Amino acid sequence: GEKAVPGGNDVLVEFEDGIAWVYLNRPEKRNAMSVDLAREMNVVLDALEIDDRCGVIVLTGAGEAFSAGMDLQGFFRTTDAITDVERHRAYRETRAWQWRTLMHYAKPTIAMVNGWCFGGAFTPLICCDLAIADKDAVFGLSEINWGIIPGGVVSKAISTLMGDREALYYVMTGEKFDGTRAAEVGLVNQAVPAEELKDRTRELAKNLLEKNPTVLRQARMAYKYAREMNWEQAAEYLTAKGDQTTFVDTEKGRDKGLTQFLDEKTFKPGLGNYER
Ligand code: ACO
């Protein structure tokens, strides 16, 4: 793994054939997320967005944890001890990468949940486009267990993927659950045995790397914004977004697709990609 930021060691990046494997890298602290880690992750994600070695990001954890949530020392105690303005800045830096940047990232993102996933770790998990988990990974909204509410934007994030009964059940009980259950409740796409986790994730990443990257970016954004709109707004926005996609697509995918299906009869859109 490469040190992504000079002097920093909380985030590691490995490049492999268009995939950037981004590791939360505090295994001895179960990848608990501190303010320092947030600062480093913001630099890393900002750099990878325009790095040609990265076509897809996989966010995962070094060692046995995905992430044990916010760092009770390096996030909670640390921000209790500073001024309100400094605290506001620390929260902003955490929200930046966990939510805003990942949610609106220019490249596709996959969370690979390799182990413990608690509390604040649900935010980056949910803000990645897709997620694959070890079926034995352990998830939990453990906030209630130590006397806080699922804050940050965790409560909002879970409401976008989980049904109210399931979300409130785990918010209120703090009960842990495994990767198989995480797939059932819609938090991850799929749960697989530990030994298949990296291969399955790589296979999914490679599938995405074969797509027209401009159209893939626009399709992800269109979905994420349209779900917040009413039907009238969504129809208008999606029509405009479709036109914009054709305009910004340097590959001219739509023209190629039409020609290859209608004129050349060399491919069927229902069955695979056009020839790029
Ligand atoms: N914040 C700060 N330090 C942590 C955190 C955390 N969230 N999670 C683990 N660590 C530290 C431990 O204090 C310990 O440090 P030490 O070696 O200096 O004593 C080290 O990481 C290893 O942790 P252990 O508890 O010894 O590891 P174990 O494998 O036995 O247990 C587990 C792992 C279950 C994840 C446990 O560490 C744990 O419960 N962590 C807290 C999980 C949690 O509820 N996080 C907060 C969610 S709420 C929120 O994010 C807003």
Side-chain angles (χ1 to χ4, degrees):
E2 285 189 23
K3 276 194 189 182
V5 177
N9 204 30
D10 292 347
V11 180
L12 280 185
V13 181
E14 277 172 18
F15 295 103
E16 179 199 334
D17 302 332
I19 305 170
W21 301 88
V22 177
Y23 290 88
L24 296 156
N25 186 44
R26 302 181 68 216
E28 72 293 345
K29 295 286 183 189
R30 305 298 178 265
N31 304 322
M33 297 175 288
S34 62
V35 178
D36 287 345
L37 181 143
R39 297 204 166 113
E40 202 172 324
M41 191 62 92
N42 281 318
V43 175
V44 170
L45 292 179
D46 198 44
L48 288 178
E49 201 170 36
I50 51 166
D51 188 322
D52 289 338
R53 293 172 295 179
C54 168
V56 177
I57 279 187
V58 177
L59 179 69
T60 190
E64 63 196 65
F66 175 69
S67 169
M70 301 314 297
D71 188 320
L72 272 63
Q73 176 66 46
F75 184 79
F76 287 104
R77 277 246 166 103
T78 299
T79 54
D80 280 351
I82 56 182
T83 68
D84 192 43
V85 170
E86 288 168 331
R87 196 162 61 96
H88 173 79
R89 288 163 62 88
Y91 287 3
R92 186 172 63 204
E93 286 180 288
T94 290
R95 287 171 187 168
W97 83 266
Q98 289 188 340
W99 159 34
R100 287 199 179 86
T101 302
L102 281 176
M103 180 83 96
H104 303 119
Y105 205 62
K107 293 173 176 173
T109 51
I110 305 171
M112 183 173 86
V113 185
N114 55 304
W116 307 114
C117 178
F118 287 109
F122 278 60
T123 301
L125 162 65
I126 289 167
C127 290
C128 284
D129 302 321
L130 303 171
I132 309 287
D134 176 340
K135 70 180 185 46
D136 296 319
V138 177
F139 295 73
L141 293 167
S142 53
E143 287 90 338
I144 194 80
N145 296 345
W146 67 280
I148 68 164
I149 69 166
V153 286
V154 171
S155 288
K156 178 67 183 170
I158 55 176
S159 76
T160 67
L161 292 187
M162 293 168 90
D164 291 345
R165 287 281 182 239
E166 279 116 9
L168 276 169
Y169 183 87
Y170 293 113
V171 166
M172 294 167 73
T173 64
E175 201 174 280
K176 56 194 171 49
F177 55 97
D178 66 11
T180 305
R181 179 73 183 142
E184 276 169 20
V185 300
L187 272 175
V188 302
N189 293 91
Q190 192 184 356
V192 298
E195 61 273 17
E196 293 168 27
L197 182 62
K198 198 160 185 191
D199 284 346
R200 173 62 187 123
T201 306
R202 185 185 287 112
E203 177 185 58
L204 179 58
K206 288 197 162 159
N207 178 311
L208 301 177
L209 286 167
E210 287 172 9
K211 309 290 181 198
N212 176 328
T214 306
V215 179
L216 186 56
R217 186 184 78 238
Q218 296 281 97
R220 294 163 47 241
M221 286 308 113
Y223 179 83
K224 291 182 185 201
Y225 284 113
R227 75 177 168 194
E228 310 289 333
M229 297 176 189
N230 67 36
W231 283 66
E232 293 296 340
Q233 292 164 341
E236 183 62 20
Y237 161 77
L238 290 169
T239 303
K241 195 74 177 166
D243 290 347
Q244 182 204 35
T245 302
T246 305
F247 181 72
V248 298
D249 179 18
T250 49
E251 187 171 312
K252 301 284 169 237
R254 188 177 184 279
D255 289 348
K256 285 186 186 162
L258 284 171
T259 304
Q260 289 175 26
F261 181 58
L262 295 177
D263 306 328
E264 297 168 359
K265 298 192 182 298
T266 50
F267 103 115
K268 296 181 194 293
L271 305 180
N273 299 326
Y274 69 87
E275 175 83 31
R276 291 181 58 203

